[in-house]
Amino acid sequence: GAIEASENGMYLSSSDLECAFYHMKLPDGMESMFTLPSIPAAVLQELGLVDLDFDPTARVTPMVTVLPMGFSWALHLCQSAARAVLAAGGHEKSMTALDGQAGVVVKTPDSVGVGAYVDNILTFGTDKEAVDRVMARLVAAFRARGLPVHEIEPAARDAEVLGLSLRQGKFLRIKPRNIWRLHSAISGLWRRGWCSGHMMRAVLGHVTWASMLRREVLTVLHSAYSFVAAYGERQGRLWASAAKELTL
């Protein structure tokens, strides 16, 4: 879709928090909830991981002290930490892309929008130098808090981030590779003619995400969601109405 921007279009810069989950400590007291199977202390002594005066017959239970990626709240905690750094950087809330609030409006060349999605950091605006300057400031803020940043991409009018592709600073679209993956998944459902409700739900998740740029597309889906509710874990013949919705 086209972006409402000045003649020069929009510039976008991005960066990535390196191994974000493993640089964030679990809240105190939660370590005991994430343990590995216990092992003899003698094994750890051979590896030089525990003191030699430790009872070699004792069993040691390792505890995870960083955010485990499989923890259901890990993404939320990582996202919250990233948003906290953005807020601490002094950026106005209106210039920060946040869920549940109006979109960022870049009114002047020196105004720059910022955003963070889990471990991805974004800055965008109509002035290249301003966008790069704000990104440098954010990178410094994250690093000052012990969160290393890498894959820093300078501001450009042609950029790719979060599965999206910005072209000429004016057109935003889903990356072609992602569209073809979704196309292949839907074609596979069509060929089989059968699927479980859970499989349909997984496909609908990707359809929903791809529809965010054109939200009117979401009004098409109805029977597909009913199929999910009707079958759940069970396999069923793909309804003609649900199949039709997925091809519109």
Side-chain angles (χ1 to χ4, degrees):
I3 298 175
E4 293 183 18
S6 66
E7 245 181 68
N8 293 328
M10 193 73 69
Y11 287 91
L12 173 68
S13 174
S14 65
S15 61
D16 183 80
L17 297 181
E18 186 177 1
C19 302
F21 289 91
Y22 300 134
H23 283 99
M24 296 186 184
K25 185 178 180 298
L26 271 174
D28 291 337
M30 294 188 66
E31 299 90 344
S32 60
M33 300 179 185
F34 301 94
T35 62
L36 301 177
S38 63
I39 55 177
V43 175
L44 297 177
Q45 288 173 335
E46 291 178 9
L47 297 173
L49 298 177
V50 298
D51 295 334
L52 293 176
D53 57 358
F54 203 88
D55 181 1
T57 63
R59 297 194 69 83
V60 178
T61 302
M63 295 182 179
V64 178
T65 60
V66 296
L67 277 180
M69 291 186 69
F71 177 32
S72 58
W73 283 88
L75 188 142
H76 170 76
L77 293 173
C78 185
Q79 176 71 29
S80 298
R83 285 178 56 173
V85 176
L86 294 184
H91 300 285
E92 296 179 18
K93 188 176 180 182
S94 62
M95 296 305 295
T96 304
L98 295 171
D99 184 34
Q101 77 170 33
V104 175
V105 178
V106 179
K107 296 180 178 179
T108 60
D110 59 344
S111 62
V112 175
V114 302
Y117 180 71
V118 191
D119 56 353
N120 296 276
I121 310 166
L122 312 173
T123 58
F124 51 93
T126 57
D127 182 87
K128 184 180 187 304
E129 291 184 2
V131 172
D132 281 332
R133 188 164 54 247
V134 173
M135 174 58 74
R137 207 159 58 227
L138 288 178
V139 169
F142 278 96
R143 287 175 175 170
R145 290 163 176 78
L147 298 171
V149 181
H150 67 157
E151 297 181 4
I152 303 170
E153 297 293 337
R157 296 200 303 161
D158 292 306
E160 293 185 349
V161 65
L162 298 175
L164 300 174
S165 175
L166 176 67
R167 289 293 174 262
Q168 302 174 33
K170 297 181 180 180
F171 304 98
L172 194 63
R173 64 179 184 178
I174 309 297
K175 288 171 62 174
R177 182 178 62 182
N178 293 0
I179 289 294
W180 274 109
R181 284 177 178 172
L182 182 55
H183 177 271
S184 297
I186 293 174
S187 297
L189 290 183
W190 259 87
R191 287 195 303 271
R192 294 186 187 93
W194 286 74
C195 74
S196 67
H198 284 184
M199 181 180 292
M200 174 66 79
R201 183 172 62 185
V203 172
L204 285 178
H206 291 285
V207 171
T208 300
W209 182 87
S211 302
M212 288 295 99
L213 291 180
R214 296 299 301 267
R215 298 196 177 194
E216 63 271 23
V217 175
L218 293 173
T219 62
V220 172
L221 302 173
H222 174 71
S223 293
Y225 283 112
S226 298
F227 183 93
V228 173
Y231 284 94
E233 296 180 355
R234 297 182 297 114
Q235 294 273 341
R237 184 178 295 279
L238 185 60
W239 298 346
S241 56
K244 183 178 180 180
E245 290 175 359
L246 292 175
T247 57
L248 291 177

